[in-house]
Amino acid sequence: MSSSTGGNASNTPANANVGCVGPTSQNAGKVSACDGCPNKSACSSGAFSSPAAISAREAEKSILQNALSNISHVILVLSGKGGVGKSTVSTQIAMSLASRGYSVGLLDTDICGPSVPRMSGSLGHTVHQSQNGWEPVYPTPNLAVMSISFLLEEKDAAVVWRGPRKNGLIKQFLTETDWGGAEGLDYLIIDTPPGTSDEHISIVQYLNDARPMSINDSVSGTSSRGGASGAIVVTTPEEVSMADVRKELNFCKKTSVPVLGIVENMSGLQMRVSDLTFFRDGVHDNGGGVGAEDGSPPSSSSSIDCTNDVLSLLREKCPEVLSMIASVDVFPPTGFGPRGMAAKFNVPYLGKLPLDPNLLKACEDGTCFVEKYPISPAAKPLNDIVDNLILALPVEDDEEVEYAQADGDAMRT
């Protein structure tokens, strides 16, 4: 989907080809970008430009605009690669913002693999229908969560849906969820599945319809109030991940979604020495353990846990070591890594989030990491990312939130 060809991108079908001129264009169904598109016949026949079709689209836009009118900022969390920690970043940013006093929504659009309910502490809940629509789950008073997981009778049920049905549910999530009630939301964080196809195109299109750019924004050339407020792009440091993430950055460029920045996730394993576990391998074991004939260490099954001995020795001889951070690169960075990729695409680099066992535990337990583990290695990097996000997308005229944020900053320092 791209407006660079002169078409009306907001009217583009969700499953249209990239470069679609728009179904209401005089060239609809006739240009090279239409080749192979499932809508080619309908576009060339004028089905999308009929009075009835135009009226239906305008009605849909009105519904989307009403549903999202009370949301200050909508943030997409994207990555062309699976398994890089989008859900972790989405959930912990949402919970961190909520802990600072902001009103936050968290929408899980990964229809086939929803992770947000567990990570947000709302697993096992169901949503209820009210006169205002679906009531989202509130794991904390100012954090509203919505996911397909809340609609499934069996938590392990497989969702085997084609694109149009998934897109339809995403639209329902946006239009039929009572986001924040009458007071609305300061931030809506949208956790997306991997890739750059159906769900992503649909979300961008729905947001463009729901949040049209104002005249003043058009004059200034900014798009902070039109469509998505911006995207956080998540990657791990190695080239296998960055190759896909570059495609996601190009997707943002083609769909005019501002990139708020790149998060380098899982950037090395970091732990305090006091939290490490130590083993003595069988080669050096006085109790008779032996290694392989070639001198290599024995298997872990023959290793002996000597954590208590090592920690006792450190407390006695050099206690200052216990508070130091031990670090190891799990994913070796390629070239200049994500920081270099951010510079190449001229987008902000939001920093590194290390692999931190406490961060993973917070996600498993459904708790706010920065609140529960404020001195853990990943706490400051995550707080810095949230600080930069608030600076990029401030909430206007909210003295209470500003006070809560200042109070939180004082506690962290």
Side-chain angles (χ1 to χ4, degrees), residues 174-251:
L174 291 172
T175 59
E176 298 182 22
T177 303
D178 185 18
W179 292 113
E183 296 181 356
L185 298 175
D186 296 318
Y187 297 95
L188 174 61
I189 312 295
I190 301 181
D191 181 33
T192 66
T196 57
S197 56
D198 276 4
E199 294 96 323
H200 303 75
I201 296 171
S202 295
I203 292 169
V204 172
Q205 178 183 324
Y206 295 147
L207 292 176
N208 286 342
D209 287 346
R211 297 159 55 82
M213 190 182 298
S214 68
I215 295 176
N216 290 337
D217 287 331
S218 297
V219 172
S220 66
T222 62
S223 57
S224 59
R225 296 184 184 178
S229 302
I232 295 173
V233 181
V234 183
T235 186
T236 46
E238 79 284 6
E239 176 59 23
V240 169
S241 174
M242 292 197 300
D244 287 341
V245 172
R246 285 193 289 270
K247 298 179 178 68
E248 195 73 61
L249 291 169
N250 281 318
F251 168 85

Side-chain angles (χ1 to χ4, degrees), residues 269-272 275 325-326 352-358 369 373-382:
L269 172 66
Q270 293 188 10
M271 293 179 64
R272 294 187 181 276
D275 294 330
I325 303 294
K352 300 180 178 182
L353 268 182
L355 273 170
D356 183 336
N358 287 330
F369 168 67
Y373 304 100
I375 62 171
S376 203
K380 185 181 185 304
L382 182 57

Side-chain angles (χ1 to χ4, degrees), residues 39-51:
N39 305 292
K40 182 175 181 179
S41 297
C43 286
S44 59
S45 69
F48 286 109
S49 57
S50 68

Side-chain angles (χ1 to χ4, degrees), residues 34-253:
C34 300
D35 293 342
C37 178
N39 305 292
K40 182 175 181 179
S41 297
C43 286
S44 59
S45 69
F48 286 109
S49 57
S50 68
I54 293 174
S55 176
R57 282 197 300 273
E58 292 303 316
E60 181 179 276
K61 283 185 185 180
S62 178
I63 292 172
L64 283 163
Q65 290 171 12
N66 290 334
L68 302 183
S69 61
N70 287 343
I71 299 176
S72 296
H73 300 294
V74 180
I75 301 168
L76 303 177
V77 179
L78 304 169
S79 177
K81 186 71 174 175
V84 298
K86 289 185 302 300
S87 296
T88 296
V89 172
S90 300
T91 304
Q92 290 302 327
I93 284 179
M95 297 180 89
S96 297
L97 287 167
S99 74
R100 299 188 187 197
Y102 292 99
S103 179
V104 184
L106 178 58
L107 174 57
D108 186 357
T109 61
D110 193 341
I111 307 301
C112 297
S115 302
V116 164
R118 172 175 290 280
M119 292 185 176
S120 63
S122 48
L123 191 66
H125 289 263
T126 57
V127 295
H128 303 284
Q129 192 83 21
S130 72
Q131 62 180 2
N132 296 322
W134 280 335
E135 294 288 341
V137 174
Y138 282 85
T140 63
N142 55 332
L143 176 61
V145 181
M146 192 64 183
S147 170
I148 191 176
S149 179
F150 303 143
L151 307 177
L152 300 176
E153 294 183 3
E154 297 291 335
K155 65 177 183 178
D156 295 326
V159 179
V160 187
W161 290 0
R162 293 187 183 273
R165 191 174 180 189
K166 289 190 286 186
N167 296 336
L169 181 62
I170 290 171
K171 182 168 71 174
Q172 281 186 281
F173 282 158
L174 291 172
T175 59
E176 298 182 22
T177 303
D178 185 18
W179 292 113
E183 296 181 356
L185 298 175
D186 296 318
Y187 297 95
L188 174 61
I189 312 295
I190 301 181
D191 181 33
T192 66
T196 57
S197 56
D198 276 4
E199 294 96 323
H200 303 75
I201 296 171
S202 295
I203 292 169
V204 172
Q205 178 183 324
Y206 295 147
L207 292 176
N208 286 342
D209 287 346
R211 297 159 55 82
M213 190 182 298
S214 68
I215 295 176
N216 290 337
D217 287 331
S218 297
V219 172
S220 66
T222 62
S223 57
S224 59
R225 296 184 184 178
S229 302
I232 295 173
V233 181
V234 183
T235 186
T236 46
E238 79 284 6
E239 176 59 23
V240 169
S241 174
M242 292 197 300
D244 287 341
V245 172
R246 285 193 289 270
K247 298 179 178 68
E248 195 73 61
L249 291 169
N250 281 318
F251 168 85
C252 291
K253 184 177 180 180

